[in-house]
Amino acid sequence: MKRFERLFEPRAIAAVGVSEDAARPGSQTVHALLRNGYPGRIYPVNPKYPTYEGMTCYPSVSAIEGEVDVAVIGVPARGVIGVIEDCAKKRVPFVVVPSGGFRESGAEGAARQDRMLAIAREAGMRIVGPNCLGLVNVHKDVYAGFGSITRPPALGKGSVSLVTQSGGFGYSIALACQQAGIGFRNIIATGNEADIDTIEFLDALLEDEGTSIILAYIEGLPNGRALLDVGRRALALGKPLLVWKGGVTEEGARAAATHTANLTGSYDYYRALFRQAGIVEMRELYEAADYVKAFQARKLPAGRRVAVMGGSGGSAIVFADAAEQSGLDFSSFSEETKRRLWKVVPEIGAVHNPVDFTAGYITGANAGRFEAAVTAVLDDAAVDALCINFATTAIPGCLAGAQVLERVVKDTPKPVVVFLSTPAPDSLPVFDAARVPVVPSPVRAARAIAMLASYREARERESDRAAREDVRAASDSPLVARQSFSEADSKAELARMGIAVTRDVLVRSAAEVRFEELTPPLAVKIASADIAHKTEVGGVRLGIRTREELTEAIDGVLSSARTLAPHARIDGVLVSEMVVGGFELLAGAVNDAVFGPVVVVGAGGIYAETFADTACRLAPFGERTAREMIDELRCRAILDGARGRPALDVDAVAHALAALSRYAWANRETIAEIDINPLFALPAGAVAADALIVGKRVTGE
Amino acid sequence: MKRFERLFEPRAIAAVGVSEDAARPGSQTVHALLRNGYPGRIYPVNPKYPTYEGMTCYPSVSAIEGEVDVAVIGVPARGVIGVIEDCAKKRVPFVVVPSGGFRESGAEGAARQDRMLAIAREAGMRIVGPNCLGLVNVHKDVYAGFGSITRPPALGKGSVSLVTQSGGFGYSIALACQQAGIGFRNIIATGNEADIDTIEFLDALLEDEGTSIILAYIEGLPNGRALLDVGRRALALGKPLLVWKGGVTEEGARAAATHTANLTGSYDYYRALFRQAGIVEMRELYEAADYVKAFQARKLPAGRRVAVMGGSGGSAIVFADAAEQSGLDFSSFSEETKRRLWKVVPEIGAVHNPVDFTAGYITGANAGRFEAAVTAVLDDAAVDALCINFATTAIPGCLAGAQVLERVVKDTPKPVVVFLSTPAPDSLPVFDAARVPVVPSPVRAARAIAMLASYREARERESDRAAREDVRAASDSPLVARQSFSEADSKAELARMGIAVTRDVLVRSAAEVRFEELTPPLAVKIASADIAHKTEVGGVRLGIRTREELTEAIDGVLSSARTLAPHARIDGVLVSEMVVGGFELLAGAVNDAVFGPVVVVGAGGIYAETFADTACRLAPFGERTAREMIDELRCRAILDGARGRPALDVDAVAHALAALSRYAWANRETIAEIDINPLFALPAGAVAADALIVGKRVTGE
């Protein structure tokens, strides 16, 4: 934060372009600073006015006698360069450029942006924007911008900071949080990011002690790896980073060469990165508020086992539906817990999970029993988190119930979330004091708990030293220099990575085959570009186990094809090692322009495109991460041996994926794509039956 | 509604079990009636008191001199039967029984419920409950119940009615709507439904002229068909029916005999029913409010082409993400529209869809331009619905913008939805007057528009006469009397339905085969329970086209098997017609206890369970519905000929499904399950390669 101290805590702000028109950006800056009681110096700048709002108005920034930490350049794009030059002369360390009319508006604007950046670089000056709303430091009453972020309602003070690539939508996230009672620290709308970008601001907020939770709205990044790095550091620090990715739909087909690469898109890579870095993804505005409240309670569940209690059976059912869909499990209470509940829950209720303490239970008169019931459930070792459905509890009951929770829940390490429908504003501060997030639906309660459980898992994973050591092993991966690979070359490279491959041999006659070098069963197929349906000309024989069968099969398919397809040009016969009894996966690596090497695994075969059952991770990674990828596949159950089939060797698949990731990382300068299709998972081992490596196109080729 | 007139508009209500304890149900009823100014007669009943709240208190219902339309029996379960008998004596037409302790609590409670029902039936008395919150008629200030529905905050008056099987959670739905400014008519919490059930109340609300939209929370129904019927009538009347289904997860594996039946569960049937009846499913509390507001605007989009405009690029991106995920398309504006927009949108904005009119555009001063921009987009014939992102527009701008919409949007037939983040309560009544729903996120705007589009499609489908005629054709379907079917019988039944089947013949030698009765290509497989891996003993030959090949193949597999598996008992050789070049589906029918015959279609093969890519509909139905099922499958693209494969005969598959549905419906008394696995979709035609029909178990068997 040190490097941005003058930006976030400026002692003096110049507002260039103030005007009688209060709608002008410069005017908005000055009015917001005055309205919010900014304690530093304010310097209005406009050569037309001697004074502005009772203050001296300066003809230029360089005419200001005192030091200026931030200049907000509230003039149209055309006038910006002149002001920038003047700011450089004055040695202003930070400028905020609200105006549009730069890179986003075509060639002239792009040239203007480049010119502006060159002047700033020369002067050691940093730029926020252009084409941005600027920034706010809520605690220091700093409003260095214009538009929604400077307007009422002013945000409350708190420890949440926000970086957004969209001023308008980003501020909607802040307002949704504010309406849920959440306070803020810094808000930055970054605009075109000519100079300071989202990553640099996230970095600064990681260092900022006053920021405990970071929100971000991101549309695109030039370097996805930097977000992985920032996210991992945030995770290690325990500062939750919540990201909304805008623009998740892929625009048309991608120009990738291989099958695997076409199955995924940049949003898949973002989501993989989020998982690898423990970044919490937001998909709705209320999630921002729910998740921040859940984090602010500062309790993470030890596992995914959840309990729910309340007087509304329907609310418990709806919670259970959402809990299952969110990957939570239901706790099984101990006999001791049930005995304790039995004493305080009415006879017509239920003492198993969900606990039904019947309608009208949460009242002042019944506070002791409610307290005993909550305590009994929280004391159960099988409970990692608890949802209490207040639902439509009467207003006085809400307050009494909140007071009970304030007593008993404050010190438990287990997260407790309350679903409440009744408008009972008086009880909300009491729930806050109890560190209990209150949400208006059981579905949202389940999602918030599941989010906390996933975050906790990500923290554990990140603190696992082994995972990082796996990554270092990437430096041991074989390096290649070539840029073009035949299928044979590709399979040879796989073998060098440590991935088992099947062999194929093209022969013209049975005499050419060296049977002892092949592992049966073998397949024999006629090789002819003129024969589309090989089986129909008797051109395929499978399951060959002996030398004699092989000779007979090669002769057979050759003679059958010559008879039934007399005009076909025949190249020979392909003898292939057959893979028997396995399951067809596909795997690959894509060297993405933004994310670098990304490894993909998925269900193979004819359904591959249809179901797009894939998982991906940014390379390099170890076998633990590879197993997580496999666990994400919907076809996972097949690998475990669904429908009486044998279980398949998931370890071997994970080993192959990790090896592939190390290789893709080590060769990221030269290799564009790797396609292993199919990769057979077998009862023992995993074997690649076909592969294609595509080198990077050399510039100018 | 006639039959329930005295229940919903009672002239006199008796509250049995009033007490000094205000928490007693009877007391709550009286207090709610007094507090809300119920204009009819209130009769408190309790032998202990001469008066209650200044009114005469009666020792029993029969002691009341005047007529009683509704008695609320607020006594514990044990005392209910006595009161019921007294009410029967008094000829009370309706009783509400709040108490628990009936069927939900075990054998004694179930006996009590049966006894109560018998008395009521005898006397022609109808029962609401037991174990329920009762009912409220907001317009007539009727509060015949207790708990949350009788408590402040009282609901506002409106035309939305609610039927709920969970009092607590159902009322949460009402409160969520109330907080969004939605008014209510009738609320009924049905409890155990000993007598009047959800369906009968929905039926009554369909007849109620004051109800324009119906909400329901349903956990289970004894007769799913009745909901289909009520839903279809609601759709025909244009009264939207919105249902939340609680309990959507399946409890463990089902005890179904066939593969197809195991791929679906009761929630799938509910969702199929919702689609067939145009019932709108709710999955979150805010959806209730959003969807009701969207319906109250009384505008349905003619199609799925949507436009979005606003000053926040991020909001447009987030809307676009959600629109794509919700199945909406983006309108392409005409040149005329772009010309009109060009005149009123700032130079740095955008005049294509999404329209970017830049931040700060919606102001009082700019009202004329905003009006021109909205009008231009609404006038475009390619626009079916419009989302306007007010996002973080300043408070005065919100009001000015709402006033513009009040002028220009009120008379358009196209739905317009506004996303607004700014807390601007003064503008909300103006948006209401403009019939513009306001939602707090662009995601919710997209979902509301998509919901309206689906509802419109359902209305069109229901009004399609052909669909109903198809259903009538079910009476022409062949009937079967038998209850046990071999595979051969099953395939014969398929043929009787009009579904093409492949043939298999088991022979002991080549001499037995009648080649001329089979359609090549043929497959030959060794038939032996002792040989698990047929290919490994040379026991499989495929692609046989001639009589000579067949003879050679049968001899070959027999001799190969005898050589390589000398100890296996060999039953003979199975000669099967091969299906070539098609795609493997599965289809079937399940005769569900709640829903009756339901037809399922899905992707077949090894991925069937893994991806559970299935669609289902309640039988009987026509080919149009069958095509909709096929369109729902994720494997749909394969049928269209993905990756250079030929397009497959979707018409033939639809024909088979419709025939199956008619047969399953016609034979619903005798047939339990039908499994067609695989059903091959071919370039021309569809053919069942295997089938199994399971008869209903005769009781006592």
Side-chain angles (χ1 to χ4, degrees):
Chain A
M1 206 60 186
K2 212 70 199 158
R3 79 200 118 135
F4 288 153
E5 195 181 334
R6 298 269 65 79
L7 177 61
F8 284 108
E9 303 187 12
R11 294 155 304 183
I13 300 174
V16 184
V18 295
S19 152
E20 278 161 3
D21 179 357
R24 303 285 319 142
S27 314
Q28 290 192 35
T29 302
V30 170
H31 292 138
L33 290 169
L34 292 173
R35 191 171 53 243
N36 291 283
Y38 168 63
R41 295 294 307 265
I42 307 172
Y43 298 114
V45 176
N46 188 335
K48 287 192 210 150
Y49 306 106
T51 64
Y52 187 76
E53 296 290 355
M55 297 177 286
T56 304
C57 188
Y58 296 82
S60 66
V61 173
S62 57
I64 297 167
E65 64 279 6
E67 228 178 299
V68 174
D69 287 333
V70 174
V72 179
I73 305 181
V75 302
R78 261 176 291 273
V80 166
I81 295 295
V83 180
I84 286 277
E85 282 169 339
D86 193 45
C87 288
K89 192 164 131 197
K90 174 72 184 167
R91 299 266 158 229
V92 176
F94 294 98
V95 295
V96 176
V97 185
S99 348
F102 289 85
R103 187 167 299 285
E104 83 287 358
S105 71
E108 190 188 340
R112 188 179 288 133
Q113 184 164 321
D114 291 344
R115 175 87 190 103
M116 176 174 75
L117 187 59
I119 299 166
R121 288 270 154 85
E122 172 80 22
M125 183 166 68
R126 302 301 306 270
I127 302 170
V128 180
N131 190 25
C132 75
L133 295 187
L135 62 99
V136 172
N137 177 338
V138 178
H139 287 254
K140 303 288 182 181
D141 302 306
V142 172
Y143 289 79
F146 84 116
S148 54
I149 68 168
T150 63
R151 280 196 299 257
L155 298 177
K157 290 185 172 65
S159 66
V160 179
S161 290
L162 166 71
V163 184
T164 174
Q165 292 187 336
S166 160
F169 189 68
Y171 204 62
S172 292
I173 299 175
L175 286 174
C177 289
Q178 189 216 25
Q179 280 159 39
I182 291 162
F184 279 85
R185 185 166 169 89
N186 296 312
I187 309 275
I188 312 113
T190 59
N192 289 10
E193 303 189 354
D195 177 20
I196 315 178
D197 65 8
T198 294
I199 297 293
E200 203 174 348
F201 277 121
L202 291 176
D203 221 29
L205 293 170
L206 283 189
E207 290 168 29
D208 175 28
E209 283 179 13
T211 294
S212 68
I213 297 174
I214 305 171
L215 305 177
Y217 172 82
I218 293 175
E219 287 176 3
L221 296 174
N223 177 3
R225 291 272 158 178
L227 183 60
L228 182 65
D229 178 53
V230 164
R232 281 182 163 155
R233 280 185 289 125
L235 190 61
L237 287 169
K239 278 194 189 186
L241 173 56
L242 290 76
V243 174
W244 187 313
K245 172 66 179 78
V248 304
T249 60
E250 295 293 326
E251 286 163 18
R254 286 156 26 102
T258 61
H259 189 179
T260 316
N262 277 305
L263 286 176
T264 54
S266 82
Y267 180 50
D268 297 309
Y269 304 157
Y270 272 103
R271 297 189 74 187
L273 185 161
F274 294 165
R275 279 186 291 260
Q276 285 176 277
I279 291 172
V280 176
E281 188 182 7
M282 301 176 279
R283 298 293 300 276
E284 249 296 9
L285 283 168
Y286 64 78
E287 287 180 351
D290 288 0
Y291 293 175
V292 167
K293 285 198 285 183
F295 276 123
Q296 286 183 333
R298 303 203 151 272
K299 293 170 187 177
L300 296 178
R304 294 194 161 262
R305 297 166 309 168
V306 73
V308 57
M309 59 199 307
S312 153
S315 303
I317 285 174
V318 169
F319 178 85
D321 287 342
E324 164 149 344
Q325 283 159 0
S326 308
L328 296 174
D329 304 318
F330 260 60
S331 310
S332 287
F333 293 160
S334 69
E335 289 308 311
E336 165 69 8
T337 303
K338 288 185 205 161
R339 261 193 303 276
R340 289 170 63 182
L341 286 170
W342 187 252
K343 288 181 198 157
V344 292
V345 164
E347 204 184 330
I348 59 169
V351 298
H352 51 68
N353 187 13
V355 178
D356 183 359
F357 48 53
T358 73
Y361 184 81
I362 310 178
T363 62
N366 210 28
R369 274 189 291 270
F370 177 56
E371 179 167 339
V374 172
T375 310
V377 172
L378 284 174
D379 283 349
D380 194 307
V383 172
D384 297 322
L386 171 64
C387 172
I388 308 178
N389 289 328
F390 275 58
T392 54
T393 292
I395 293 171
C398 291
L399 187 58
Q403 285 161 346
V404 165
L405 296 188
E406 197 182 2
R407 276 197 300 280
V408 303
V409 163
K410 209 165 24 173
D411 301 320
T412 178
K414 301 177 180 182
V416 176
V417 179
V418 159
F419 154 50
L420 172 63
S421 274
T422 314
D426 290 352
S427 63
L428 298 183
V430 186
F431 283 116
D432 280 348
R435 287 193 171 171
V436 171
V438 176
V439 292
S441 111
V443 178
R444 286 164 63 172
R447 298 235 175 98
I449 291 171
M451 181 282 297
L452 290 177
S454 297
Y455 184 74
R456 160 91 185 217
E457 287 158 8
R459 288 213 68 180
E460 280 172 3
R461 196 165 51 223
E462 188 59 19
S463 67
D464 179 357
R465 195 168 291 273
R468 267 169 286 162
E469 280 167 4
D470 273 326
V471 168
R472 279 204 289 271
S475 56
D476 302 332
S477 201
L479 286 171
V480 284
R482 77 167 89 205
Q483 283 173 346
S484 119
F485 300 83
S486 69
E487 284 190 29
D489 296 337
S490 300
K491 277 178 130 178
E493 284 299 304
L494 258 52
R496 289 217 299 153
M497 296 175 209
I499 299 175
V501 294
T502 59
R503 268 169 301 175
D504 317 295
V505 203
L506 182 71
V507 295
R508 300 215 133 253
S509 73
E512 286 180 24
V513 186
R514 280 178 288 188
F515 181 77
E516 61 286 356
E517 288 178 9
L518 296 166
T519 309
L522 303 175
V524 163
K525 293 178 194 166
I526 193 76
S528 166
D530 299 331
I531 299 175
H533 301 289
K534 299 184 179 73
T535 42
E536 298 189 7
V537 298
V540 177
R541 295 285 181 91
L542 305 174
I544 295 155
R545 295 204 165 269
T546 65
R547 187 188 298 267
E548 294 65 39
E549 277 174 45
L550 181 61
T551 304
E552 194 272 324
I554 292 173
D555 294 348
V557 299
L558 282 170
S559 79
S560 177
R562 283 188 192 116
T563 311
L564 295 171
H567 304 298
R569 277 165 307 165
I570 291 170
D571 300 327
V573 171
L574 194 71
V575 181
S576 310
E577 292 180 348
M578 274 180 75
V579 180
V580 174
F583 178 74
E584 202 172 325
L585 294 167
L586 54 79
V590 183
N591 199 347
D592 185 81
V594 171
F595 294 91
V598 180
V599 167
V600 183
V601 66
I606 55 163
Y607 290 96
E609 283 91 356
T610 304
F611 295 114
D613 180 21
T614 60
C616 60
R617 289 290 188 281
L618 277 61
F621 51 77
E623 294 183 16
R624 177 177 170 151
T625 297
R627 285 197 74 110
E628 283 170 15
M629 294 171 71
I630 299 165
D631 289 345
E632 273 170 30
L633 297 176
R634 279 172 288 155
C635 66
R636 183 68 180 82
I638 294 177
L639 300 178
D640 280 336
R643 293 187 77 194
R645 293 197 186 84
L648 303 174
D649 194 342
V650 172
D651 284 339
V653 177
H655 179 81
L657 294 174
L660 177 62
S661 86
R662 289 190 296 266
Y663 180 91
W665 177 252
N667 294 290
R668 64 190 179 278
E669 298 302 332
T670 49
I671 290 181
E673 296 176 34
I674 303 173
D675 203 30
I676 308 178
N677 184 8
L679 172 69
F680 280 97
L682 301 173
V687 60
D690 203 350
L692 181 64
I693 298 180
V694 181
K696 269 195 178 179
R697 196 175 291 233
V698 176
T699 312
E701 196 183 359
Chain B
M1 207 59 186
K2 213 67 198 157
R3 79 200 120 135
F4 288 152
E5 195 181 335
R6 297 270 64 78
L7 176 62
F8 284 107
E9 303 187 12
R11 293 155 305 184
I13 299 173
V16 184
V18 296
S19 153
E20 278 162 2
D21 179 356
R24 303 284 321 142
S27 314
Q28 290 192 34
T29 302
V30 170
H31 293 139
L33 291 168
L34 292 173
R35 190 171 53 244
N36 290 283
Y38 168 64
R41 296 295 305 267
I42 307 173
Y43 298 115
V45 177
N46 187 336
K48 287 192 211 152
Y49 306 107
T51 63
Y52 187 76
E53 297 289 355
M55 298 176 286
T56 304
C57 188
Y58 296 83
S60 66
V61 173
S62 56
I64 297 167
E65 64 278 6
E67 227 178 301
V68 174
D69 288 332
V70 173
V72 180
I73 305 182
V75 302
R78 261 176 290 274
V80 166
I81 295 295
V83 179
I84 286 277
E85 283 169 339
D86 193 45
C87 288
K89 192 165 130 197
K90 173 71 184 169
R91 299 263 155 230
V92 175
F94 293 99
V95 295
V96 176
V97 184
S99 348
F102 289 85
R103 187 168 298 284
E104 83 287 358
S105 70
E108 190 189 341
R112 187 180 288 134
Q113 184 165 322
D114 292 344
R115 176 85 189 103
M116 175 175 75
L117 187 59
I119 300 166
R121 288 268 154 87
E122 172 80 22
M125 183 167 69
R126 301 301 306 272
I127 302 170
V128 180
N131 190 24
C132 75
L133 295 187
L135 62 99
V136 171
N137 177 336
V138 178
H139 288 254
K140 302 289 181 180
D141 303 305
V142 173
Y143 289 78
F146 84 115
S148 54
I149 68 168
T150 63
R151 279 196 299 259
L155 299 177
K157 292 185 171 65
S159 66
V160 178
S161 290
L162 166 71
V163 184
T164 174
Q165 292 187 336
S166 160
F169 189 68
Y171 204 63
S172 293
I173 299 175
L175 286 174
C177 290
Q178 189 216 26
Q179 280 159 38
I182 292 161
F184 280 85
R185 187 167 167 88
N186 297 312
I187 309 274
I188 313 112
T190 60
N192 289 10
E193 303 190 353
D195 177 21
I196 315 177
D197 64 9
T198 293
I199 297 293
E200 204 174 347
F201 277 121
L202 291 175
D203 221 29
L205 292 170
L206 282 189
E207 290 168 28
D208 175 28
E209 284 178 14
T211 294
S212 68
I213 297 173
I214 305 171
L215 305 177
Y217 172 83
I218 294 175
E219 288 176 4
L221 296 173
N223 177 3
R225 290 274 158 177
L227 183 61
L228 181 66
D229 178 53
V230 163
R232 280 182 164 155
R233 280 185 290 123
L235 191 62
L237 287 168
K239 277 194 191 186
L241 173 56
L242 289 75
V243 174
W244 187 314
K245 173 67 179 76
V248 303
T249 59
E250 296 292 325
E251 287 164 15
R254 286 156 25 103
T258 61
H259 189 179
T260 316
N262 278 305
L263 285 177
T264 55
S266 82
Y267 180 50
D268 296 309
Y269 304 157
Y270 272 102
R271 298 189 74 187
L273 185 161
F274 294 165
R275 280 187 290 260
Q276 284 176 279
I279 291 172
V280 177
E281 188 180 9
M282 302 176 277
R283 298 293 301 275
E284 248 296 8
L285 283 167
Y286 64 78
E287 287 180 352
D290 288 0
Y291 293 174
V292 166
K293 285 198 284 183
F295 276 124
Q296 285 183 333
R298 303 202 149 272
K299 293 170 186 176
L300 297 179
R304 294 195 162 261
R305 297 166 308 169
V306 73
V308 58
M309 60 200 305
S312 152
S315 303
I317 286 174
V318 169
F319 178 85
D321 287 342
E324 164 149 345
Q325 283 157 0
S326 309
L328 296 174
D329 304 318
F330 260 61
S331 311
S332 287
F333 293 159
S334 70
E335 289 307 312
E336 164 69 8
T337 303
K338 288 185 207 161
R339 261 194 301 277
R340 287 171 65 181
L341 286 170
W342 186 253
K343 289 181 196 156
V344 291
V345 164
E347 203 183 333
I348 58 169
V351 299
H352 51 67
N353 187 14
V355 178
D356 183 357
F357 47 53
T358 72
Y361 184 81
I362 310 177
T363 61
N366 210 29
R369 275 188 291 270
F370 177 56
E371 179 166 339
V374 173
T375 310
V377 172
L378 283 174
D379 284 348
D380 194 305
V383 172
D384 296 322
L386 171 64
C387 172
I388 307 177
N389 288 328
F390 274 58
T392 54
T393 293
I395 293 171
C398 291
L399 188 59
Q403 285 161 345
V404 166
L405 297 188
E406 195 181 4
R407 276 198 299 280
V408 303
V409 163
K410 210 164 25 172
D411 301 319
T412 177
K414 301 178 181 181
V416 176
V417 178
V418 160
F419 154 51
L420 172 62
S421 274
T422 314
D426 290 352
S427 64
L428 297 183
V430 186
F431 283 116
D432 280 348
R435 288 192 169 173
V436 170
V438 176
V439 292
S441 111
V443 178
R444 286 163 64 171
R447 298 236 175 98
I449 291 171
M451 181 281 298
L452 290 176
S454 297
Y455 183 75
R456 160 90 186 218
E457 288 157 8
R459 288 213 68 179
E460 281 172 2
R461 197 166 50 222
E462 188 59 19
S463 66
D464 180 356
R465 195 168 289 273
R468 269 169 286 162
E469 282 168 3
D470 273 325
V471 169
R472 279 203 289 273
S475 56
D476 303 333
S477 199
L479 288 172
V480 283
R482 77 167 88 208
Q483 283 172 346
S484 118
F485 300 83
S486 69
E487 285 192 29
D489 296 337
S490 301
K491 278 179 129 176
E493 285 299 303
L494 259 52
R496 289 218 299 152
M497 298 175 207
I499 298 174
V501 294
T502 59
R503 267 169 302 176
D504 317 293
V505 203
L506 181 71
V507 296
R508 300 215 133 253
S509 71
E512 286 180 24
V513 187
R514 280 179 289 190
F515 181 78
E516 61 285 357
E517 288 179 8
L518 295 167
T519 309
L522 303 175
V524 163
K525 293 177 195 167
I526 193 75
S528 165
D530 299 330
I531 298 175
H533 301 289
K534 299 184 178 71
T535 40
E536 298 189 7
V537 299
V540 178
R541 295 284 181 90
L542 305 173
I544 296 155
R545 297 205 163 267
T546 64
R547 189 188 297 268
E548 293 65 39
E549 277 173 45
L550 180 60
T551 304
E552 192 273 325
I554 292 173
D555 294 346
V557 299
L558 282 171
S559 78
S560 175
R562 282 187 193 119
T563 310
L564 295 171
H567 304 297
R569 276 165 308 165
I570 291 170
D571 300 326
V573 170
L574 194 71
V575 181
S576 309
E577 291 179 352
M578 274 180 77
V579 180
V580 173
F583 177 74
E584 201 171 326
L585 295 166
L586 54 79
V590 183
N591 199 347
D592 185 81
V594 171
F595 294 91
V598 180
V599 167
V600 183
V601 65
I606 55 162
Y607 289 99
E609 284 91 355
T610 304
F611 294 113
D613 180 22
T614 60
C616 61
R617 290 290 189 280
L618 277 62
F621 51 77
E623 293 182 18
R624 177 177 171 151
T625 297
R627 285 198 74 109
E628 283 170 16
M629 294 171 72
I630 299 165
D631 289 344
E632 273 170 30
L633 296 177
R634 279 172 288 154
C635 66
R636 182 69 180 82
I638 294 177
L639 300 177
D640 279 338
R643 293 187 78 195
R645 294 198 185 84
L648 304 174
D649 194 343
V650 172
D651 284 340
V653 176
H655 179 81
L657 294 175
L660 177 63
S661 87
R662 289 190 296 266
Y663 180 91
W665 177 252
N667 294 290
R668 64 192 178 279
E669 299 302 330
T670 50
I671 289 180
E673 295 177 33
I674 304 173
D675 202 30
I676 308 177
N677 184 9
L679 172 69
F680 279 97
L682 300 172
V687 61
D690 203 350
L692 180 63
I693 298 180
V694 180
K696 269 194 178 178
R697 196 176 292 233
V698 176
T699 313
E701 196 182 358

